Amino acid sequence: MDITPIHRRVIGLDVHQSKISACALIEQPDGNIVVEHQEFGGFKRDRRALAEWVSGFTPEVVVMESTGIYWKSPYAALERVGILAWVVNARHARNVPGRKTDVSDAQWLATLARAGLVRASFIPPADIRHLRLIARQRQKLGGMLASEKNRLHKVLADAGIRLNVLVSDLHGKSARAMIRALLDGQPIHAILAHAGRLRASRTDLFEALQPEELSARHRFVLNEILAHIDYLEATMTRFEQELLHGLAPWEAQLCLLETVPGIDRMGAAMLLVEIGADMDSFGSAERLASWVGICPGNNESAGKRKSGRTRKGNAWVRRLLCEFAQAAARTRCALKDKFSALSIRKGHKRAIVALAHKMLRIVYAMLNHASPYQDRTVDYEALMVQRNAPRWLKMLQKHGYLATA
């Protein structure tokens, strides 16, 4: 059975680091198909020539695979001439092995797109894509910062300093000040003066801050780690300021996302640059969850349900959602009740993923309808009355509707 064509003018692009293979399938008025191949380099002049060549066909669809980061520059070149290409999942457009070449890959992509057998992935607008660079680098810096903090803990333990036993956060203000004073060689009473309101007794702190072997090498390494931690924290602050400044046009969406338990300002900003503010791009919460890779997979054969583990998707969004779920599970809301019910049957990790899936569907509904999160366990009317009743009573007494006491 022949594949019924849906689009008449289609171009497929097989993108590599230094080469782009293009194939145009153009249906003539008499029904004949004209196939034209062309190859371009990977430099700016080549991408400009590619955009001119593609626009000369006035295609209905231009399709390319999401091969690493190499698709981004050709996509931007086409976008500048008014062509929004389809970026498709490589596993959905895999060519038949045996006669596989770059030229045949481009023609295969065009053939699939012509028959409507591939679907474009979500590509946000250029301004959101550029903000993604800031958000993702900020996440990388966060990982580096966590690694350095862990290393500081290990070096302190190697020197026999057991401050982490007495403080909940080794990198809190008081603990950090005591560590710096210790490395500066200050006397013990000056070090303990930085303890502030710590619950631990001064006797225990004195014992914990007695190093067994705090050599000059330990001091050197600890000072360098602290300097790197300060640098990373300052860098992350600059990244956060630039990200929030760039998201000023989407202030309303940021405020909506902040109403969800477990999502703070920065978490809302980092989620927004990944999924965008226009939910029409996905069409449904199910498609959004499938794109992220947070929903259960389908694997059924011969009437038997096999492993339904989650598929690969947007790892950046999945990581954010799991962090949100961890935070929401510790709040007093309906999401915590959901997590408690799931963790009994599925365990902690599966329950976190399931709660992250639920939170993503909530986020979709909020952005789609421009409405804030409303928790079913909270009586919002009672809260409004509690907040405004004193003012209402004053106004009623002022205008004579209530007798003054």
Side-chain angles (χ1 to χ4, degrees):
M1 183 178 64
D2 295 334
I3 299 178
T4 304
I6 296 178
H7 305 288
R8 308 298 177 183
R9 308 175 71 84
V10 179
I11 295 178
L13 303 177
D14 187 42
V15 182
H16 300 274
Q17 181 177 6
S18 59
K19 186 180 70 171
I20 303 174
S21 299
C23 175
L25 298 182
I26 309 299
E27 183 174 334
Q28 301 297 319
D30 58 0
N32 292 326
I33 304 298
V34 175
V35 181
E36 184 171 338
H37 295 278
Q38 189 74 23
E39 286 193 353
F40 301 90
F43 299 115
K44 181 178 180 180
R45 64 175 183 271
D46 302 310
R47 296 193 296 269
R48 190 179 302 155
L50 168 68
E52 294 176 357
W53 182 80
V54 170
S55 59
F57 289 100
T58 60
E60 300 176 30
V61 175
V62 179
V63 61
M64 64 178 74
E65 289 182 359
S66 57
T67 50
I69 62 172
Y70 301 131
W71 63 270
K72 295 186 177 182
S73 296
Y75 183 92
L78 294 171
E79 190 178 35
R80 281 191 288 271
V81 297
I83 297 175
L84 295 180
W86 288 10
V87 181
V88 302
N89 193 330
R91 66 189 291 266
H92 297 164
R94 189 173 299 171
N95 202 346
V96 179
R99 296 183 298 171
K100 187 177 180 301
T101 63
D102 294 337
V103 174
S104 66
D105 280 348
Q107 186 167 346
W108 177 249
L109 279 172
T111 302
L112 293 178
R114 184 169 178 263
L117 295 179
V118 290
R119 187 171 60 191
S121 184
F122 166 66
I123 305 296
D127 47 1
I128 293 289
R129 292 204 306 272
H130 297 160
L131 289 173
R132 271 185 177 182
L133 297 175
I134 299 175
R136 293 182 176 183
Q137 183 62 20
R138 191 254 179 198
Q139 279 205 34
K140 288 291 185 182
L141 290 172
M144 295 169 61
L145 179 61
S147 177
E148 286 294 84
K149 287 182 176 181
N150 290 336
R151 188 60 190 166
L152 180 70
H153 179 199
K154 291 180 180 180
V155 177
L156 287 173
D158 185 75
I161 300 172
R162 296 293 186 266
L163 184 61
N164 61 294
V165 177
L166 301 177
V167 298
S168 59
D169 183 9
L170 190 61
H171 302 278
K173 184 177 180 179
S174 298
R176 185 79 63 87
M178 286 191 289
I179 293 172
R180 291 186 187 278
L182 179 64
L183 296 178
D184 291 340
Q186 297 182 15
I188 191 63
H189 67 273
I191 298 175
L192 294 177
H194 296 288
R197 301 172 61 182
L198 289 177
R199 291 184 178 181
S201 67
R202 297 304 180 262
T203 303
D204 291 339
L205 288 173
F206 175 81
E207 294 296 331
L209 291 170
Q210 297 297 320
E212 297 176 3
E213 187 185 353
L214 186 61
S215 64
R217 308 304 181 200
H218 284 99
R219 293 180 185 273
F220 172 76
V221 173
L222 289 170
N223 281 319
E224 290 298 319
I225 292 176
L226 283 173
H228 195 200
I229 288 175
D230 292 340
Y231 169 77
L232 289 174
E233 289 177 343
T235 304
M236 287 184 66
T237 300
R238 293 195 298 272
F239 270 77
E240 291 170 2
Q241 292 172 351
E242 183 65 23
L243 179 59
L244 293 176
H245 176 72
L247 285 174
W250 293 275
E251 179 65 25
Q253 286 81 3
L254 286 177
C255 292
L256 285 178
L257 292 177
E258 282 186 280
T259 62
V260 182
I263 301 181
D264 60 357
R265 184 81 173 173
M266 187 49 53
M270 297 185 71
L271 179 62
L272 195 62
V273 298
E274 292 292 340
I275 65 174
D278 184 13
M279 293 296 101
D280 292 338
S281 303
F282 298 99
S284 67
E286 290 78 9
R287 287 186 178 180
L288 173 58
S290 177
W291 177 77
V292 173
I294 201 70
C295 60
N298 286 326
N299 187 4
E300 181 179 343
S301 179
K304 296 179 180 179
R305 291 281 300 178
K306 300 183 180 180
S307 174
R309 63 179 58 186
T310 56
R311 302 181 302 175
K312 291 184 178 180
N314 189 314
W316 304 93
V317 180
R318 192 162 57 244
R319 175 181 173 180
L320 283 172
L321 290 172
C322 289
E323 291 178 359
F324 299 158
Q326 292 275 9
R330 290 168 171 79
T331 61
R332 295 180 180 178
C333 63
L335 296 175
K336 178 183 179 180
D337 298 337
K338 180 70 173 178
F339 171 78
S340 300
L342 289 171
S343 60
I344 296 173
R345 296 182 291 111
K346 296 180 177 294
H348 180 83
K349 292 184 178 180
R350 291 177 182 268
I352 287 295
V353 174
L355 185 60
H357 181 202
K358 181 179 180 64
M359 293 182 71
L360 181 63
R361 296 171 68 95
I362 291 173
V363 166
Y364 175 88
M366 289 168 52
L367 294 177
N368 195 34
H369 300 291
S371 59
Y373 173 78
Q374 292 189 352
D375 196 279
R376 58 180 175 82
T377 63
V378 177
D379 189 348
Y380 290 94
E381 183 178 353
L383 288 177
M384 183 180 64
V385 172
Q386 182 182 2
R387 180 182 304 169
N388 298 317
R391 180 172 55 85
W392 292 341
L393 291 173
K394 279 185 180 180
M395 296 302 294
L396 291 172
Q397 290 174 358
K398 178 180 178 180
H399 293 282
Y401 289 97
L402 283 179
T404 58

